[in-house]
Amino acid sequence: VMKDDQGPMLAVIPASHSVDVDRLNDLTGRHLALMPEAELARLFTDCEIGAVPAAGSAYGLPTVTDSKLLTQDEVWFEGGDHESLLRVTGSTFRRMMRKGGVGPISRHS
């Protein structure tokens, strides 16, 4: 989860990658930085700290998805805790993310 003076934004990236903040800022025209973990608890009251689901729209968050994820046959993401994973088909994931932005916002860690 990223934030700036406009508020929070969810960046959905592959687990093996890290957010490329410069690319994300160029894509969104914002000045985003990682949100401190303590602030995440206030946004995601029904989730364990650090287990943010990819469904930013369910929390009213603008969301940008890394374009690499939209080419996958299936996508796995945390279900709000560190024990549950949700698996969706690629087409379902693309439908889930269709209202947000898309771009190359990550780099391999």
Side-chain angles (χ1 to χ4, degrees):
V1 179
M2 312 296 290
K3 77 169 198 169
D4 64 5
D5 59 353
Q6 294 181 46
M9 171 181 279
L10 184 61
V12 181
I13 62 171
S16 60
H17 288 61
S18 56
V19 174
D20 185 325
V21 178
D22 292 332
R23 283 185 179 176
L24 180 61
N25 284 334
D26 287 346
L27 180 69
T28 62
R30 295 176 65 171
H31 301 286
L32 297 154
L34 286 173
M35 178 179 276
E37 200 168 78
E39 292 181 38
L40 291 177
R42 290 192 291 269
L43 278 180
F44 300 95
T45 57
D46 60 339
C47 299
E48 291 179 10
I49 292 183
V52 176
S57 61
Y59 294 89
L61 293 178
T63 302
V64 177
T65 303
D66 191 285
S67 50
K68 293 171 190 71
L69 289 172
L70 299 180
T71 64
Q72 303 302 306
D73 293 330
E74 63 182 19
V75 177
W76 295 76
F77 56 92
E78 287 185 304
D81 60 41
H82 295 289
E83 298 172 11
S84 304
L85 286 175
L86 302 173
R87 180 180 62 92
V88 297
T89 64
S91 61
T92 297
F93 185 75
R94 289 185 286 279
R95 280 194 308 274
M96 284 175 54
M97 309 313 271
R98 71 177 173 255
K99 291 186 180 180
V102 174
I105 61 167
S106 73
R107 61 182 173 270
H108 199 273
S109 297

